[in-house]
Amino acid sequence: MPSERDGTLATLQWLIDAGADEAIGETPVDRLAAPAARRAEPPPAEKASPGSARAPAPHPVVKPAPGASLASTEAALSSARDLARAAGNLEELKAALDAFEGCALKQHAMNLVFADGNPKARVMVIGEGPGAEEDRRGLPFVGVSGRLLDRMLAGIGLDRTSAYITNVLFWRPPGNRTPTGTEIAACLPFVERHIELVDPQVLLLAGGISAKTLLGRSEGILKLRGHWAHYQHAGMARPIPALASLHPAYLLRQPAQKRLAWRDFLALKEALDSGRDPLLCAPANRYATFQSLTRSSP
């Protein structure tokens, strides 16, 4: 027979699965004791005089959910493409994301998580999506996995003044769940425009969602990592070499795989130091490459 402790743990797990995985207030609130306290001693303004009738409570105002004006997924994607295409610089792109109501993740997130680092850097790191700390601060890769990424970049002589960091998703999925295809598709036009505007020398795609989305691949990240590919879509003047690697959050769960990520970062350093396209280098290059891939925006 389940104990009271088992029931409490099950309730907490249900809350975490629903996305309530952090305490926002400064002090805890006993929700069970609060109603009893109010019944015991109501505020003076609420005490009714003898013989007086209490006015009926007003009906709650139901506000439409953000994005309700977008009647369909296709309408949301069309809005995303139009807003992204109209952005002439990074400030306008961020403002366009602020105005965009076609991604359901925005309804539950605390902040838009746009980018961090130097937009003039040669390398652009694109991760998967914000976590709890990123959602609170509005910056990508600032939690535990972000600190690991900083150490990994430092290992090849880079930091946030010599790299530009963003994600495929601009809002945190509740409870850090895996995003849906519709949520990724709603953000993709902004990601594509983001890459156009930054125009880096090299892309580092951290994690399976980032690599599969931007390279149009279906393989898992352990098969994709360590390989170079050309990233390009219709709005770009030239292809950009892109290297898939493991996400720092995965490395925290699987520390033995850090050796693979270190190989990827050495390949990234080699490409930056040479200043040449890794896909056009001599066959002696010890890092495997994919056939050049081209994306076309709809």
Side-chain angles (χ1 to χ4, degrees):
M1 182 175 181
S3 65
E4 181 178 352
R5 178 178 179 274
D6 293 336
T8 301
L9 290 175
T11 301
L12 289 173
Q13 186 60 53
W14 180 86
L15 289 170
I16 291 172
D17 293 340
D21 59 351
E22 56 184 314
I24 302 301
E26 295 295 331
T27 57
V29 177
D30 188 342
R31 302 292 183 184
L32 297 177
R38 287 197 296 268
R39 287 194 299 270
E41 185 59 38
E46 296 183 2
K47 293 180 179 179
S49 57
S52 64
R54 177 174 295 180
H59 293 288
V61 177
V62 179
K63 297 181 179 180
S69 60
L70 299 175
S72 67
T73 299
E74 184 53 42
L77 296 180
S78 177
S79 173
R81 288 192 289 267
D82 292 343
L83 286 169
R85 194 178 299 118
N89 53 51
L90 294 177
E91 290 74 18
E92 291 179 2
L93 185 65
K94 184 177 182 181
L97 278 162
D98 273 324
F100 181 57
E101 299 292 351
C103 182
L105 295 176
K106 186 176 182 179
Q107 301 176 29
H108 307 285
M110 295 176 65
N111 285 299
L112 165 70
V113 180
F114 184 64
D116 193 21
N118 181 3
K120 298 186 182 299
R122 294 186 297 161
V123 59
M124 182 176 185
V125 181
I126 304 180
E128 297 181 334
E133 186 65 21
E134 289 79 9
D135 187 32
R136 278 193 292 268
R137 296 177 56 182
L139 291 170
F141 283 99
V142 292
V144 178
S145 62
R147 291 191 286 275
L148 176 56
L149 176 64
D150 288 339
R151 294 196 295 272
M152 294 165 70
L153 291 172
I156 59 171
L158 299 175
D159 58 22
R160 297 203 182 212
T161 65
S162 52
Y164 186 71
I165 303 171
T166 186
N167 283 306
V168 166
L169 298 171
F170 297 97
W171 298 277
R172 180 197 180 198
N176 291 348
R177 63 161 171 78
T178 301
T180 66
T182 300
E183 291 162 350
I184 295 173
C187 292
L188 185 57
F190 297 101
V191 178
E192 293 175 337
R193 185 60 176 152
H194 207 168
I195 296 172
E196 284 181 55
L197 293 172
V198 175
D199 192 26
Q201 179 181 327
V202 175
L203 288 172
L204 177 66
L205 308 179
I209 292 174
S210 175
K212 290 190 285 188
T213 298
L214 295 176
L215 298 180
R217 308 289 294 202
S218 59
E219 299 94 331
I221 188 58
L222 289 176
K223 290 186 177 180
L224 291 175
R225 62 136 299 272
H227 297 280
W228 287 98
H230 274 150
Y231 170 81
Q232 188 175 20
H233 65 269
M236 296 171 59
R238 64 175 179 86
I240 299 176
L243 176 66
S245 188
L246 303 172
H247 195 283
Y250 172 79
L251 297 176
L252 291 171
R253 299 191 301 268
Q254 301 288 340
Q257 304 288 33
K258 289 181 180 179
R259 58 189 176 84
L260 299 179
W262 179 237
R263 293 178 192 172
D264 301 339
F265 273 66
L266 289 178
L268 174 64
K269 176 176 172 56
E270 182 177 319
L272 293 173
D273 289 346
S274 69
R276 295 177 294 176
D277 187 332
L279 287 147
L280 303 179
C281 292
N285 188 326
R286 63 185 180 278
Y287 299 101
T289 60
F290 284 132
Q291 180 181 356
S292 178
L293 301 169
T294 302
R295 285 185 51 86
S296 296
S297 295

